[in-house]
Amino acid sequence: MARPELLGRLSGPARVTLVSAPPGSGKTVLLRSWISQTGLEECAAWVAAGRDERDPQGFWLSVLGALRRTRPGAALVRELTAAPDLDGWAITERLLKDLASLEEQLWLVVDDVHKLGPDTLRQLELLMMRAPQTLRFVLAARHNVRLGLHRMRLEGDLAEIRAGDLRFSLTETEELLAAAGVELPESAVAVLHDRTEGWAAGLRLAALAAAGHPDPSRFAAEFSGTERTVAEYLLAEVLDRQPDPVRWLLLRTSILERVNGELADLLAGGEGGERVLQDLEQANVFVLSLDAARSEFRYHQMFAGLLQMELRRAAPGEVPDLHRAAAGWFAGHGYPAEAVRHAQAARDWSLAARLLAEHWSGLYLDGRAGAVHELLAGFPTGLLTTDAGLAAVAAGDELARGSLKAAERLLRLAERGTETVPDPQRGQLELLSGVVGLLAARQRGNPLAEAEAAQRLQAMAEALGAAQPYLGEDLRALALISLGYAEGWTGHHNQAEYLAEGIALARRIGRPYLEFTGLAHQAEIEASRSLARAAEFSRQAIELADRHGWSDESAAGVACMILGAVLAWQGRPGEAEPWVQRAEHIVSAEADPAAGLGVRYARGFLELVRGQDGDALTALRDAERLAGLLAAPHLLAPRARALLMLALVRLGETQRAEETLADLEEREREHGEVRIATAELRLAQADPHGATVALAPVLDGSARPARAFLTLGFTLEAAARDTLGDPDAAGRALERALDLAEPDTALSAFVLHPVPALLERHARRGTTHAALIGEIRGLLAGRVPAPLPGWSPSPLEPLSDSELRVLRYLPTNLTAPEIAGELHVSVNTVKTHMRNLYAKLATHRRAETVVRARDLGLLAPHAFRS
């Protein structure tokens, strides 16, 4: 029914409207009527904070989805996919960036905001303080929430609708009863209004019950009691007067978080469930529509609780069977997490374990490690080690959470339990263990084991091709990507073909998570052959990670590490630094020692390029330690040791460099990169002939290093030949070094071993690389290359989580004491974090820090307010 005075207040000039009242006061009905009657369907985003939305990720993904369904939001708000450990603060910043240019009026309506956790509330408050004026907020809550609304109240930016405002007047009560077809004398209406005090839910329930009562006037006179007593009495009266099919539909579907017609028919054993639900929603029987098509519904939480109590009383034996039926429906319709939850509610642990084991691969490939962890927590603790399938899932969970040793222990339990599993499930367990084993081998840095696991997965994928085509394609894409990656680190030449095929398949079947990890691995492998291609694959992987919310995944750290290393090789240490920092921020070296080795290698090389040889030595020592944690020799290990030798030589510690070389095994000394470092050592020892001997297998191709290292090898050959008095040979070697450096602009080879006199003489004698020599000489003279054009997303700065929280409040007008109050810390703590921010961002004032943070992408751009 129309309530024009309240609708006018909702459409008023205030940026934030708070509707706060007890349950059943009519908040949701009022807001839906306002949207409908004012024609705001295309400009209002509706978000209902459900019982699971204490997790900021779930809430903010719902907000983004709702905004994208509006006309103004569709063009501005980017899509974001669920991911493990997705940060609500980062999503808020991303949303502020997207809406900074919002011109058309847009409303964000958040129902049941009191269900949000403290972190989510603080993020919502920050959004309200910093959003453009064109974004307005309407918040519905059962009670007051900590949202800093007092500031908006003082500034005149807050409108409030309280319980007293929502109470029905006597006239409105008469209109409500008449609309329900209930005819009462004026005196009976007055009694009913007085007894309910205008409480919307009580009046609606009373109207429903009175409509079928033989003496409505007597019913109204007897209607009394506390809110709980009234609700229980009226619900019983409503249920008793419903036809049996409707009554049983309500009871049997009360176990669900959401219900549709098909699921209602299944649980109630009838037909026409959708029409019944639509009729009940239309009659405001605590049934709420979740979509515009009115095909999915949920029950009011109070109503659902009472229905469940009545179900347990009337048919306690049916409850487990209803949960099992729901589990089967959700599993068959692509909702594996919901299916497992219902099996757990039925306490059918065997079914729940089987469902989770069957669907783990899909959850993993969707980047939903957080959901898997939550589901595992719902099982009895002892079952995780006695059920082979659950042990394998738990192993995957431990991998995702960074516990490599625990994962390997659980995986061994799962493999030992395979023999006791019935034949129909044995193949599924072998598949699950194969995927988890492959991931464990990758993190442990064992490419041979990963390649073997990938080949087994390929065979399984082919066997599943006809029976389960979608799963077969998923596994085939994963196997191809893993095989290409593993063979790349074992020196096989066909890794590029496997990787490209796997990435293309992942893209075709709509698995962006697989595509993202494949691109990161392709960048890592390609770095040995082409810096330009490695950088491009890294950028593609980072773009996918940022788009879908996987920026904290280890593969994203690998892509950032490769991009940083490429920029360092190109003589751009300033541009490389943020990417290496971002990789260090993402990758946990203990959880993923193979990726950690790569990150420390990149840091060591970057410090060498910058001339910080002591820092380089520290990073490379750490890389050597991580290499010792790997299950098999890694190609990066000898490269890291080669850089370590270079650092020692540059520090003048040639004896320690010689000892490091002597400690290597014979096969390690034959690596191309180690031979190049040996040549550097021999030149430092005034032994140019020894340098040429060390370089000979490198230059003839029998000890082939990475392409960028080969550039350094020919540079050292040129220096050695020049010292030996053979300028022609020196010129040929230098020209070859320039040939190798030109395609990728790999200038740092000439920084690691500068040969300015040779370059100058070579330029006078004639060369096809005059421009490149000019760039190298400029770099040696201290000139910084111009920034690369094109794509350049802002990398992360090395700020702590506490510093980031303070940073996000700096664009507001809050003082340091007020920020301290919002974050529940001392003023001194806030001031310490602000000093740290000034130091890390090279700023001196608060406004300057905000500008710098926006330039780096740490804060959303300024929203110009009208």
Side-chain angles (χ1 to χ4, degrees):
M1 59 180 292
R3 306 188 74 180
E5 193 272 335
L6 294 179
L7 299 186
R9 289 165 68 176
L10 286 166
S11 300
R15 288 192 58 239
V16 179
T17 301
L18 174 66
V19 185
S20 178
S25 298
K27 303 181 294 295
T28 301
V29 173
L30 172 68
L31 297 180
R32 289 193 181 279
S33 299
W34 165 64
I35 292 172
S36 174
Q37 295 183 33
T38 54
L40 293 177
E41 290 90 345
E42 295 184 353
C43 299
W46 182 285
V47 180
R51 87 174 50 161
D52 290 330
E53 305 238 16
R54 287 187 173 273
D55 170 26
Q57 177 187 149
F59 171 74
W60 287 111
L61 290 177
S62 298
V63 170
L64 292 178
L67 288 169
R68 282 176 55 80
R69 290 191 291 273
T70 65
R71 185 180 64 249
L76 297 176
V77 179
R78 292 169 288 169
E79 183 180 2
L80 187 63
T81 306
D85 302 324
L86 190 59
D87 184 8
W89 293 105
I91 301 177
T92 309
E93 289 295 335
R94 175 191 173 109
L95 184 55
L96 284 166
K97 291 181 182 179
D98 290 349
L99 295 176
S101 60
L102 178 66
E103 296 179 358
E104 185 178 358
Q105 201 104 67
L106 176 61
W107 280 265
L108 175 59
V109 182
V110 183
D111 198 9
D112 289 339
V113 72
H114 59 275
K115 294 182 179 178
L116 299 177
D119 286 344
T120 313
L121 286 172
R122 285 196 291 271
Q123 292 154 12
L124 179 59
E125 178 184 359
L126 197 63
L127 179 66
M128 291 191 297
M129 285 192 291
R130 291 175 49 198
Q133 289 283 358
T134 43
L135 179 62
R136 300 197 172 193
F137 300 83
V138 179
L139 312 176
R142 291 185 179 180
H143 50 73
N144 289 336
V145 290
R146 291 181 59 87
L147 273 173
L149 298 174
H150 56 284
R151 290 186 295 274
M152 296 179 181
R153 187 179 294 115
L154 290 173
E155 296 167 3
D157 253 351
L158 176 68
E160 298 177 76
I161 298 176
R162 298 286 179 175
D165 304 309
L166 288 169
R167 290 188 186 122
F168 277 55
S169 66
L170 183 58
T171 301
E172 289 171 335
T173 301
E174 290 175 344
E175 294 173 357
L176 184 149
L177 294 170
V182 178
E183 296 181 4
L184 289 174
E186 288 185 5
S187 58
V189 173
V191 170
L192 191 58
H193 178 263
D194 183 62
R195 294 284 175 85
T196 61
E197 298 185 14
W199 178 50
L203 286 170
R204 289 192 175 93
L205 289 170
L208 288 169
H213 200 280
D215 187 351
S217 296
R218 184 170 64 84
F219 168 81
E222 294 174 352
F223 187 82
S224 64
T226 64
E227 177 182 317
R228 178 179 177 183
T229 305
V230 170
E232 291 179 352
Y233 171 78
L234 289 177
L235 287 174
E237 286 293 316
V238 170
L239 283 176
D240 287 345
R241 298 180 191 281
Q242 296 295 330
D244 281 346
V246 175
R247 181 175 185 275
W248 281 109
L249 181 146
L250 287 169
L251 291 178
R252 290 172 178 170
T253 57
S254 65
I255 65 166
L256 303 169
E257 291 288 329
R258 66 179 190 270
V259 60
N260 57 33
E262 183 181 342
L263 192 47
D265 290 341
L266 172 67
L267 297 187
E271 296 180 352
E274 182 173 276
R275 179 60 183 272
V276 172
L277 292 166
Q278 290 173 344
D279 290 345
L280 290 170
E281 189 233 2
Q282 188 68 31
N284 293 321
V285 186
F286 287 96
V287 179
L288 304 176
S289 172
L290 295 175
D291 58 352
R294 298 178 67 221
S295 61
E296 286 209 19
F297 303 85
R298 70 171 178 90
Y299 299 144
H300 187 286
Q301 187 173 336
M302 179 178 63
F303 186 44
L306 291 171
L307 288 173
Q308 291 162 10
M309 182 178 66
E310 179 66 14
L311 174 65
R312 291 191 298 271
R313 185 194 67 78
E318 292 190 22
V319 175
D321 290 336
L322 290 171
H323 279 296
R324 288 190 193 94
W329 188 92
F330 281 114
H333 287 77
Y335 300 100
E338 289 85 345
V340 175
R341 290 191 189 102
H342 279 287
Q344 290 172 329
R347 304 187 69 78
D348 191 335
W349 304 118
S350 175
L351 173 62
R354 179 172 59 80
L355 287 171
L356 184 54
E358 285 179 359
H359 294 281
W360 177 82
S361 297
L363 291 168
Y364 162 72
L365 294 175
D366 279 339
R368 297 185 63 190
V372 173
H373 183 72
E374 178 190 340
L375 293 172
L376 282 171
F379 286 94
T381 305
L383 202 59
L384 299 182
T385 55
T386 57
D387 183 283
L390 277 185
V393 172
D397 181 56
E398 293 291 352
L399 279 180
R401 300 177 70 78
S403 301
L404 186 54
K405 290 183 179 179
E408 291 171 335
R409 177 179 59 82
L410 286 164
L411 189 57
R412 288 192 295 271
L413 285 175
E415 290 169 345
R416 285 200 298 268
T418 303
E419 296 302 321
T420 64
V421 173
D423 286 340
Q425 298 177 28
R426 187 171 301 164
Q428 180 66 43
L429 178 56
E430 289 174 351
L431 172 62
L432 172 57
S433 298
V435 174
V436 177
L438 181 150
L439 299 175
R442 180 183 301 168
Q443 287 185 213
R444 182 58 81 183
N446 191 340
L448 288 175
E450 183 179 356
E452 291 173 2
Q455 288 167 348
R456 288 194 297 271
L457 275 187
Q458 268 190 313
M460 293 180 189
E462 292 173 4
L464 286 169
Q468 300 181 58
Y470 294 109
L471 180 57
E473 287 193 319
D474 288 344
L475 292 177
R476 185 164 172 267
L478 175 60
L480 286 168
I481 289 170
S482 301
L483 190 60
Y485 177 69
E487 293 202 346
W489 286 119
T490 52
H492 289 77
H493 65 280
N494 55 352
Q495 76 276 1
E497 178 183 340
Y498 286 134
L499 277 167
E501 187 179 352
I503 292 168
L505 178 57
R507 191 177 296 125
R508 180 171 62 80
I509 63 178
R511 284 294 192 186
Y513 184 78
L514 264 182
E515 181 186 355
F516 147 65
T517 55
L519 286 167
H521 296 327
Q522 194 167 23
E524 198 172 3
I525 298 301
E526 196 65 40
S528 296
R529 300 187 300 179
S530 169
L531 298 180
R533 286 199 298 272
E536 181 56 32
F537 291 133
S538 294
R539 288 169 175 148
Q540 291 176 21
I542 293 167
E543 284 178 337
L544 273 176
D546 290 344
R547 187 188 315 160
H548 292 280
W550 299 318
S551 298
D552 288 336
E553 288 277 329
S554 186
V558 168
C560 292
M561 174 264 291
I562 293 297
L563 187 54
V566 168
L567 290 167
W569 269 111
Q570 293 176 333
R572 302 173 180 275
E575 295 175 60
E577 173 64 30
W579 293 109
V580 176
Q581 284 183 8
R582 183 169 173 177
E584 291 169 333
H585 177 79
I586 295 170
V587 173
S588 168
E590 303 306 322
D592 193 345
L597 166 62
V599 172
R600 300 314 292 156
Y601 167 83
R603 168 57 69 188
F605 177 71
L606 175 58
E607 297 301 339
L608 278 178
V609 172
R610 292 203 291 204
Q612 303 298 320
D613 303 321
D615 293 338
L617 187 63
T618 300
L620 294 164
R621 288 289 190 203
D622 201 25
E624 194 168 41
R625 177 186 66 83
L626 290 171
L629 300 178
L630 303 181
H634 196 285
L635 281 183
L636 271 185
R639 294 178 191 175
R641 292 190 183 101
L643 291 183
L644 190 148
M645 289 177 61
L646 289 178
L648 289 171
V649 170
R650 288 160 62 99
L651 287 167
E653 299 189 31
T654 55
Q655 183 57 42
R656 286 181 62 193
E658 193 71 62
E659 292 168 358
T660 300
L661 179 62
D663 288 340
L664 297 178
E665 296 179 5
E666 182 64 30
R667 59 179 179 79
E668 291 179 306
R669 288 198 290 270
E670 292 304 314
H671 277 276
E673 288 85 357
V674 174
R675 281 189 164 275
I676 290 170
T678 304
E680 181 74 55
L681 173 61
R682 297 292 174 253
L683 286 173
Q685 294 169 332
D687 181 9
H689 177 72
T692 62
V693 170
L695 288 170
V698 175
L699 305 188
D700 67 21
S702 56
R704 192 79 173 175
R707 181 185 176 94
F709 267 97
L710 187 57
T711 305
L712 176 60
F714 275 102
T715 304
L716 295 174
E717 173 76 1
R721 293 298 177 184
D722 189 59
T723 304
L724 290 169
D726 190 346
D728 291 337
R732 289 193 298 271
L734 187 57
E735 185 71 7
R736 181 63 180 133
L738 294 168
D739 289 340
L740 290 165
E742 182 80 57
D744 293 325
T745 323
L747 307 184
S748 286
F750 304 96
V751 174
L752 293 176
H753 191 93
V755 285
L758 265 176
L759 286 168
E760 184 176 356
R761 188 170 72 229
H762 193 67
R764 289 198 303 268
R765 293 179 59 182
T767 175
T768 59
H769 303 288
L772 183 64
I773 290 176
E775 289 186 59
I776 296 168
R777 294 173 68 184
L779 191 64
L780 294 176
R783 291 200 296 272
V784 178
L788 292 173
W791 182 85
S792 55
S794 301
L796 293 177
E797 286 292 317
L799 304 182
S800 70
D801 291 341
S802 298
E803 290 161 356
L804 280 169
R805 284 194 289 271
V806 171
L807 174 65
R808 288 167 179 140
Y809 279 91
L810 296 189
T812 70
N813 59 358
L814 299 183
T815 63
E818 288 173 328
I819 295 174
E822 296 297 326
L823 296 176
H824 307 293
V825 298
S826 70
V827 177
N828 285 337
T829 298
V830 171
K831 289 182 177 179
T832 298
H833 290 326
M834 291 176 72
R835 286 194 296 270
N836 292 342
L837 289 169
Y838 294 163
K840 291 183 177 182
L841 300 184
T843 56
H844 300 88
R845 296 183 304 278
R846 178 170 174 170
E848 184 184 357
T849 302
V850 171
V851 172
R852 174 67 173 154
R854 282 180 171 143
D855 289 343
L856 291 170
L858 295 168
L859 291 175
H862 180 68
F864 291 96
R865 300 180 181 275
S866 58

